Amino acid sequence: SAIFQSCVDLIRDGFDPRPEIMIPLVSSVEEFLNQKNIVKSCHNNIVKESGLKINYLVGTMIELPRACLISDKIAKHADFLSFGTNDLTQTVFGFSRDDVSDIIQKYMREKIFTSDPFQTIDVDGVGSLIRIATEKARRVNKNIKIGICGEHGGDPNSIMFFRSIGLDYVSCSP
């Protein structure tokens, strides 16, 4: 409700806000729809109270392998998908990012890894899931906006990969 109430205040001040509300950690289409319905209900209540029209989008952060595999089902109901590459990397590898840096450094010294998968996207594993999810989502919703959020958005090699599979945007920490 707070997002939509803020929109009402901004509209009354002459602005045209268009919030994009992202539902995190979705693992099923039913879960996404449940949360989207809550957002929709909040929106409808604020619109009814204010009498103002508020344009908004609802999408999801894809952070779980299962969500990648059912992205077509989610994309039928979502305005956008954003891959949370940090969490997706953790769930694909089964690593806790906070506890694994020593192991990754050892793996790189031992040539088990050629790069830190939390810095440069693992094209063969995590990247494959992102590619599959993007293709599936676009088959059912050709206009869906798809991108990534995470440290990978600041890595040139990762950006080139994301560009090659047709993502619309990358975002990262400054």
Side-chain angles (χ1 to χ4, degrees):
S1 291
I3 291 170
F4 295 123
Q5 187 57 57
S6 294
C7 289
V8 167
D9 296 342
L10 288 168
I11 291 167
R12 288 184 175 148
D13 287 342
F15 296 97
D16 183 23
R18 296 171 186 262
E20 296 183 9
I21 299 169
M22 189 179 316
I23 310 297
L25 278 171
V26 168
S27 62
S28 73
V29 69
E30 294 81 11
E31 183 179 27
F32 176 74
L33 289 171
N34 173 276
Q35 296 302 295
K36 182 179 179 180
N37 286 336
I38 292 170
V39 170
K40 197 180 211 179
S41 176
C42 290
H43 169 263
N44 292 343
N45 289 338
I46 297 294
V47 166
K48 187 176 182 180
E49 289 171 15
S50 70
L52 298 173
K53 181 180 178 185
I54 302 170
N55 296 307
Y56 71 102
L57 302 176
V58 179
T60 186
M61 177 76 75
I62 302 283
E63 300 164 280
L64 301 171
R66 187 177 197 283
C68 289
L69 298 173
I70 63 163
S71 64
D72 53 339
K73 292 175 175 56
I74 296 169
K76 287 180 183 177
H77 307 282
D79 298 311
F80 63 90
L81 303 178
S82 184
F83 293 96
T85 59
N86 299 337
D87 286 337
L88 189 56
T89 298
Q90 286 189 112
T91 57
V92 167
F93 278 98
F95 289 156
S96 168
R97 184 176 179 197
D98 298 329
D99 303 328
V100 77
S101 63
D102 290 342
I103 293 170
I104 289 176
Q105 294 309 311
K106 182 177 181 180
Y107 275 24
M108 288 171 56
R109 282 192 305 275
E110 300 282 332
K111 307 285 189 242
I112 295 169
F113 287 172
T114 57
S115 62
D116 180 339
F118 290 103
Q119 298 299 316
T120 300
I121 198 74
D122 162 44
V123 172
D124 294 332
V126 178
S128 288
L129 280 174
I130 294 171
R131 178 186 291 117
I132 290 165
T134 299
E135 290 169 358
K136 290 179 79 163
R138 288 228 163 99
R139 274 198 293 268
V140 299
N141 185 347
K142 67 180 180 175
N143 296 319
I144 194 164
K145 184 168 67 169
I146 303 176
I148 69 108
C149 296
E151 296 306 311
H152 298 97
D155 174 61
N157 291 328
S158 299
I159 292 169
M160 292 305 292
F161 169 74
F162 298 134
R163 183 176 183 211
S164 76
I165 63 170
L167 297 190
D168 298 307
Y169 69 89
V170 298
S171 69
C172 66
S173 302

